Amino acid sequence: MPSVFVQGRPVAAYPPFAPEARRGSVRRVTEVGEEVLHKPCRDVTEFGPDLAALIDDMFRTMYVAEGAGLAANQVGVGLRLFVYDCPDDDGVRHVGHLVNPVLEPLAPGERRLLDDGEGCLSVPGAVMDVPRPDRAVVRGFDRDGVPLRVEGTGYFARCLAHESDHLDGRVYLDRLSARERKAALRQSADRREEVFARRSARATAFDA
């Protein structure tokens, strides 16, 4: 089985970072409580250089922040778009972006919920167990408007569902009990300074 899939398609080889990241600039990551994270994003209607530049910036920002995925509203842009560089449970790497993605509903017989640790760049430092289906199928478009279908299992399925939630104005804290949410926010408060120091160091190293 191929070890890397790009835009849902197998490739023979791929660099450690998506090429888009070298062209992009780091943007500030929004944090839970900011309005842009808590309302549904708008469909992308214009495909062109501005969209391509946003995707480049999102890849670079994701890598600097040590993320596996990043939605546009996490850099303050309320558009239906996310990028990802995420392994599945078999160690296969998945890299790409999806414009106007739609997470397909799974039939009851296809749904197997897994509880596993989940974090979010917009809740820096916190990790909580969240139940998610072990399979996800997302349809959308690439930066040029070409239709895409991306399927994931295990951790990659979790990533696809997590980023799709973002575009609907939901953060993973919304899937927790009130008690769990408070625990996650305490974790974030305790670790936030450490996380931001690490991001700053990575940004410097990425520019080297």
Side-chain angles (χ1 to χ4, degrees):
M1 183 176 184
S3 60
V4 183
F5 283 74
V6 178
Q7 299 295 84
R9 301 181 184 91
V11 297
Y14 201 73
F17 300 105
E20 291 92 334
R22 295 294 177 189
R23 300 191 295 263
S25 300
V26 176
R27 299 198 185 196
R28 174 184 171 272
V29 177
T30 54
E31 294 186 57
V32 64
E34 296 185 43
E35 183 181 4
V36 70
L37 286 175
H38 302 283
K39 61 181 184 180
C41 293
R42 309 182 309 277
D43 280 349
V44 172
T45 57
E46 294 186 17
F47 293 77
D50 289 346
L51 177 64
L54 173 59
I55 291 169
D56 294 346
D57 290 355
M58 288 172 62
F59 267 108
R60 192 178 186 94
T61 302
M62 177 183 69
Y63 288 131
V64 165
E66 300 179 284
L70 186 73
N73 56 356
Q74 291 184 276
V75 293
V77 180
L79 292 176
R80 295 191 66 84
L81 161 68
F82 66 77
V83 302
Y84 60 89
D85 189 338
C86 181
D88 61 27
D89 289 356
D90 296 318
V92 177
R93 182 183 175 198
H94 299 266
V95 187
H97 65 273
L98 279 162
V99 180
N100 296 339
V102 175
L103 184 65
E104 293 189 351
L106 297 176
E110 296 179 307
R111 284 177 58 88
R112 186 167 74 96
L113 290 180
L114 296 179
D115 264 341
D116 204 351
E118 191 167 323
C120 179
L121 299 183
S122 294
V123 192
V127 177
M128 300 293 290
D129 283 351
V130 181
R132 298 273 192 190
D134 67 345
R135 178 174 174 267
V137 178
V138 182
R139 293 185 184 272
F141 302 87
D142 71 7
R143 68 178 66 201
D144 299 313
V146 177
L148 292 173
R149 179 186 182 277
V150 176
E151 182 174 349
T153 58
Y155 186 67
F156 181 45
R158 178 173 297 275
C159 174
L160 293 173
H162 179 110
E163 301 308 328
S164 297
D165 265 1
H166 270 303
L167 303 185
D168 292 333
R170 302 181 71 180
V171 295
Y172 85 96
L173 300 184
D174 297 329
R175 295 186 174 273
L176 303 178
S177 68
R179 181 178 180 180
E180 291 167 333
R181 180 185 175 95
K182 287 179 182 178
L185 292 173
R186 281 196 301 270
Q187 280 187 37
S188 183
D190 290 344
R191 299 172 183 169
R192 186 175 183 276
E193 187 174 331
E194 173 192 341
V195 169
F196 277 83
R198 197 163 61 241
R199 289 181 187 178
S200 179
R202 282 178 64 84
T204 301
F206 212 91
D207 288 331

